[in-house]
Amino acid sequence: MSEFAELKFRDKVYQLPVVIGTENEIAVDISKLRAQSGLITLDDGYGNTGSCISEITYIDGDKGILRYRGYPIEELAEKSSFVETAYMVMLGELPTNSQLAEFRAKLAEHEFLHESLRHHFEGFSSDAHPMAILSAMINAMGCFQPAMIEPEDDDHFLDSAARLISKVRTIAAAAYKQSIGHPMIYPRSDLPYTSNFLHMMFSKPNNRYEPTPEVVKALNQFLILHADHEQNCSTSTVRMVGSSQANLYASISSGVCALWGHLHGGANQAVIQMLLEIHESGMSVDQFIEKVKNKDANMRLMGFGHRVYKNYDPRARYLKSACDSVLQNLGVKSPLLDIARELEERALNDSYFVERKLYPNVDFYSGIILRAIGIPLNMFTVMFAIGRIPGWIAHWRENHLNPNGRIHRPRQVYNGQTVRSYIPMEER
Ligand code: CMC
């Protein structure tokens, strides 16, 4: 039997349908509220607004749970590969052997950039941030496949998805090579996805780079843990842009821009900058924490806090222990990891952080792993973006296939000047 919530306003009672998700999340459907009562809902920053019904990712922020299509991320990070996880996130089920082989073949087929697209790199300044390059290049990809991708056709959709996932890796590595003035390294179809990326990043025309299995594993885990995170800022952006029927490339390119900010994906770069600053200035962890608590120049403990997690972010928990084994396997010593651990311990025992339920998020430890495997600082957020592409694609598709889907168009409460007459220049 359908359930309803009641809203009493002035002298009338309105019945609002209740929607219950498969994990018993309860929502009040207010879509008809304005038509019935004239009321809209107000929720700055969408802190308590469900923007869609989705089957892709489940988060329990209080318990610290994250699952893609029902699969716990810890299990995927242990047992799956990024390519397999990407397929599952986008299509809903783990691939069979032949489906996976076919998808890998598609990734190999699409790994090259069109020569005209490659020439775009020459137009960027050498100090351009790779996120700006990534966003511009993804949008430019739309010029080479102008027809609207058909999200309802599995084969066509998967081909377009593979094209994007594959080329993004080539673009990201080329953006890095551009930033250091080195020639672009062509992809190698014989290498799996992650090794191929590392090859394009670190090989030189006169020196082939061979990653160790530990580095490949660490990068795979990093990408898997970033593959989706339901309605965050960048994913909501992709869905918002896609809701206007904009093509996949334009929508994903907007997602990259949204991810760039330091309150979102840019935090992984900001965390390392913060740790370096503490290390190089000789400031103690206590002094740094005091500055954050005093909100000195709006300082924040980067990599801490989350809109949804009011508990330890499960990705951070996994990456924290991965840090230890990656650094040990690679024989890397990191004073930054020591500082991070001390910051965490200090913050988790401080009432400022405890009362606000601020715990480490995914970005707190991920940068230490990326640094250990040799990824330069300005590429950290690009790495996040490479990981998140399957999630964005899955949400873009879900949005398109939603039979009740409409253009996203929030309302507002207007609080500006009421009507007034134009004042001629000479009277102002
Ligand atoms: N350091 C210090 N204080 C903090 C922090 C922090 N990292 N995060 C939140 N607060 C305080 C904030 O000042 C506010 O205090 P008060 O009640 O005194 O005004 C209170 O906690 C609530 O913060 P909020 O800004 O209202 O929380 P939010 O849900 O809007 O923001 C957040 C979430 C992730 C943007 C925020 O916690 C933050 O800025 N964290 C640091 C940046 C970061 O690590 N971002 C990565 C997020 S996870 C990965 C991703 O999304 O890409």
Side-chain angles (χ1 to χ4, degrees), residues 263-265 295 300-301 303-307 352 356 361 363:
L263 294 187
H264 193 8
K295 299 191 194 277
R300 291 202 162 187
L301 178 53
F304 253 69
H306 199 276
R307 175 64 61 78
Y352 174 95
R356 291 170 178 76
N361 61 47
D363 296 316

Side-chain angles (χ1 to χ4, degrees), residues 34-108:
R34 185 169 172 276
Q36 290 167 352
S37 68
L39 288 167
I40 65 162
T41 54
L42 180 62
D43 180 20
D44 257 341
Y46 308 131
N48 193 34
T49 294
S51 61
C52 60
I53 296 179
S54 179
E55 296 179 358
I56 302 167
T57 287
Y58 172 68
I59 302 177
D60 184 327
D62 296 320
K63 295 195 185 125
I65 292 173
L66 171 60
R67 297 183 203 130
Y68 306 150
R69 305 280 188 183
Y71 296 107
I73 46 127
E74 296 81 0
E75 235 179 282
L76 294 169
E78 243 2 91
K79 299 176 184 167
S80 184
S81 67
F82 175 61
V83 169
E84 184 186 56
T85 296
Y87 182 101
M88 179 273 291
V89 165
M90 293 187 303
L91 290 182
E93 296 298 336
L94 286 167
T96 61
N97 237 330
S98 61
Q99 285 169 331
L100 186 59
E102 203 182 314
F103 185 46
R104 284 192 192 284
K106 280 183 191 295
L107 290 172

Side-chain angles (χ1 to χ4, degrees), residues 16-28:
L16 304 168
V18 167
V19 179
I20 305 179
T22 51
E23 293 281 355
N24 292 320
E25 276 179 318
I26 311 171
V28 176

Side-chain angles (χ1 to χ4, degrees), residues 311-346:
N311 199 332
Y312 219 107
D313 178 337
R315 301 166 299 174
R317 192 184 298 286
Y318 193 92
L319 287 167
K320 183 182 179 186
S321 63
C323 258
D324 290 329
S325 51
V326 171
L327 266 56
Q328 200 183 359
N329 283 333
L330 299 178
V332 176
K333 284 219 178 315
S334 168
L336 300 193
L337 179 58
D338 298 335
I339 297 174
R341 282 210 197 92
E342 208 183 326
L343 275 171
E344 178 189 333
E345 198 196 319
R346 179 76 176 70

Side-chain angles (χ1 to χ4, degrees), residues 239-353:
R239 290 186 84 121
M240 167 79 86
V241 175
S243 78
S244 75
Q245 302 290 312
N247 71 49
L248 179 66
Y249 302 109
S251 309
I252 303 271
S253 162
S254 319
V256 172
C257 294
L259 184 72
W260 190 359
H262 69 270
L263 294 187
H264 193 8
N268 60 9
Q269 180 175 337
V271 168
I272 295 295
Q273 282 162 336
M274 170 187 81
L275 296 174
L276 283 169
E277 194 186 312
I278 298 174
H279 183 54
E280 284 161 10
S281 68
M283 188 192 308
S284 72
V285 160
D286 278 347
Q287 283 169 326
F288 185 81
I289 292 280
E290 283 314 308
K291 275 172 172 269
V292 170
K293 285 164 58 180
N294 294 336
K295 299 191 194 277
D296 277 6
N298 284 329
M299 260 170 73
R300 291 202 162 187
L301 178 53
M302 299 312 288
F304 253 69
H306 199 276
R307 175 64 61 78
V308 180
Y309 294 117
K310 300 303 165 196
N311 199 332
Y312 219 107
D313 178 337
R315 301 166 299 174
R317 192 184 298 286
Y318 193 92
L319 287 167
K320 183 182 179 186
S321 63
C323 258
D324 290 329
S325 51
V326 171
L327 266 56
Q328 200 183 359
N329 283 333
L330 299 178
V332 176
K333 284 219 178 315
S334 168
L336 300 193
L337 179 58
D338 298 335
I339 297 174
R341 282 210 197 92
E342 208 183 326
L343 275 171
E344 178 189 333
E345 198 196 319
R346 179 76 176 70
L348 294 184
N349 290 299
D350 188 297
S351 58
Y352 174 95
F353 297 90

